[in-house]
Amino acid sequence: MTTAPLRFGIWALVHGPRAAHQDPEEPYDASWERNRDLILAAEELGYDSTLIAQHTINPHQEDLDQLEAWSAAAAIAALTKRIEIIAAIKPYLYHPVVLAKLALGIENISRGRFAINLVNAWNRPELEKAGIGFPEHDARYAYGKEWISIVSRLMEGERLNYSGEHFNVTDYVLRPTSLYRKRPLIYVGGESEPARDLVAGQGDVWFINGQPLGDVAGLIADVASRPRGSAPPLRFGLSAFVVARETREQAQAAHERLLSLAAKDAPMKAIQKQNTDPEVVMMQTMQKTPRVGSNGGTAAGLVGSYDEVAERIEAFHAAGIELFMLQFQPFEAEMRRFAREVIPRVRARQSTGPSGKLAQSLG
């Protein structure tokens, strides 16, 4: 499959560590200051993108700190020069007119580096406790489909008249629109059938949760085959937790350490499971294999020697993955290790052409 140039991104630490909350090497810190410094460092190291997940209350434990995504995205936009800034959004929390205006504001602050990540919600208390309600899975996607249609058209500068099941918008137009391109990009998460239809019809990039290469290739083939009208071909991103070391044995030992620490978070995970819609495909997928990290984590298989991880990344890229949205722990140190040891190996392999051997063995 022909793919866009390979890019690397990082998850912002909006609710602290990505793998284990009781790691002495990474004390809990979801502060603005830490996230600011993390993303500025990532940009300096050559990372291409950052994803700022949106939660109004912490999804793991409500008494833990939680960074607010959209105010942080605006501040990051003003401080950075090159890195793409992707802010997640749950449609029920914002009217589409208001959200489109916010998105255009950050788009222009960033000079054309902003994107939306549409997430149709899985954390029940976040909506229920606000009195918004928590519709069933497919109804949330139907709402999100209508919602993003309005947001997209307003971001493009259309004078909008819209009457639908959930929204009525009359003679509404937003100015200024993007000063740099047609509109901010739209990333979509979710792997259910309604999610696939939504991203094929209205998304620019589909975020896939970390899982083995063969499964990812199947997902890409399915969604890439769906009609998109006159829209450009859909692009694909993958979430993955990386544990890379000089040798495979060292990486496995580091992975085992994180698995052991993550086991201590069992009470917190039980609360999260209770609060999660069981129809969410991400949660079903994550139960298939032992792993650390969110959104599939190490299930993507980026655990191994520097050379092995580089080969696996190249295989995913050959299958159609353009953007790798990465997690680490301890985050700052491992982010630097990856930039120093793995990214140069990936770039070197690209310059000499893919061997295809690993793709065949994993497919």
Side-chain angles (χ1 to χ4, degrees):
M1 175 180 287
T2 301
T3 61
L6 191 155
R7 299 188 295 142
F8 295 106
I10 63 159
W11 285 75
L13 296 174
V14 297
H15 45 62
R18 304 303 307 190
H21 283 74
Q22 300 184 52
D23 185 351
E25 294 185 14
E26 186 171 348
Y28 193 93
D29 185 354
S31 66
W32 153 246
E33 289 80 8
R34 184 189 187 187
N35 280 277
R36 175 199 62 200
D37 294 348
L38 176 75
I39 296 170
L40 287 172
E43 182 176 61
E44 181 69 22
L45 289 167
Y47 287 90
D48 304 288
S49 185
T50 186
L51 173 58
I52 307 176
Q54 186 202 37
H55 301 283
T56 52
I57 56 176
N58 191 291
H60 304 294
Q61 191 169 302
E62 65 179 3
D63 61 349
L64 292 174
D65 289 349
Q66 173 68 52
L67 188 72
E68 198 288 305
W70 281 68
S71 56
I76 288 294
L79 294 173
T80 52
K81 297 179 180 179
R82 183 188 57 80
I83 199 167
E84 179 188 36
I85 303 158
I86 308 170
I89 183 66
K90 296 167 184 171
Y92 284 97
L93 295 175
Y94 286 85
H95 191 282
V97 166
V98 176
L99 193 283
K101 184 64 175 177
L102 288 170
L104 287 171
I106 303 175
E107 165 78 354
N108 289 329
I109 292 169
S110 70
R111 297 177 178 266
R113 293 181 287 116
F114 186 62
I116 293 170
N117 177 30
L118 180 65
V119 181
N120 281 288
W122 53 266
N123 188 27
R124 190 182 303 274
E126 191 168 33
L127 299 181
E128 286 186 338
K129 289 185 176 182
I132 296 170
F134 194 79
E136 57 89 21
H137 181 275
D138 289 4
R140 296 198 305 278
Y141 273 92
Y143 184 96
K145 184 176 182 179
E146 186 174 328
W147 185 94
I148 195 61
S149 169
I150 296 169
V151 170
S152 179
R153 292 160 68 183
L154 286 171
M155 289 194 303
E156 292 178 8
E158 179 178 339
R159 182 176 293 275
L160 186 62
N161 287 283
Y162 180 90
S163 179
E165 180 180 354
H166 302 287
F167 301 104
N168 287 284
V169 180
T170 303
D171 194 33
Y172 220 102
V173 63
L174 298 178
R175 294 292 184 270
T177 53
S178 176
L179 304 177
Y180 303 92
R181 52 185 172 169
K182 184 177 180 180
R183 60 160 171 75
L185 291 178
I186 297 172
Y187 289 72
V188 178
E191 293 165 21
S192 64
E193 188 61 27
R196 298 183 197 197
D197 280 342
L198 192 157
V199 70
Q202 301 196 58
D204 299 305
V205 186
W206 189 28
F207 262 141
I208 300 171
N209 294 305
Q211 49 201 289
L213 175 61
D215 295 345
V216 170
L219 291 170
I220 290 174
D222 175 75
V223 175
S225 69
R226 302 188 183 211
R228 284 179 57 77
S230 61
L234 189 65
R235 294 151 56 189
F236 301 92
L238 182 73
S239 177
F241 192 106
V242 178
V243 185
R245 295 291 188 276
E246 188 68 38
T247 68
R248 179 187 302 178
E249 292 73 21
Q250 291 171 342
Q252 291 294 342
H255 187 208
E256 290 296 328
R257 171 185 172 275
L258 289 174
L259 283 167
S260 177
L261 286 168
K264 298 180 180 181
D265 295 331
M268 183 184 299
K269 292 176 182 176
I271 295 171
Q272 183 182 2
K273 183 176 181 180
Q274 181 181 351
N275 291 337
T276 300
D277 179 359
E279 297 300 316
V280 173
V281 174
M282 175 182 72
M283 299 304 179
Q284 298 170 9
T285 301
M286 288 167 60
Q287 301 306 312
K288 294 180 180 179
T289 54
R291 45 105 200 133
V292 294
S294 68
N295 297 81
T298 52
L302 301 189
V303 177
S305 70
Y306 301 137
D307 288 328
E308 288 172 330
V309 170
E311 287 182 54
R312 290 167 187 164
I313 288 170
E314 185 185 29
F316 276 114
H317 186 232
I321 294 298
E322 168 211 347
L323 173 61
F324 291 82
M325 194 59 66
L326 303 176
Q327 304 174 10
F328 308 95
Q329 190 163 336
F331 206 105
E332 287 86 348
E334 294 301 316
M335 176 181 75
R336 292 182 182 279
R337 182 198 298 270
F338 184 87
R340 182 179 67 247
E341 302 289 353
V342 179
I343 292 179
R345 285 170 163 84
V346 173
R347 301 302 185 202
R349 292 180 64 84
Q350 289 186 308
S351 68
T352 58
S355 66
K357 294 179 180 179
L358 191 74
Q360 294 171 11
S361 66
L362 293 181

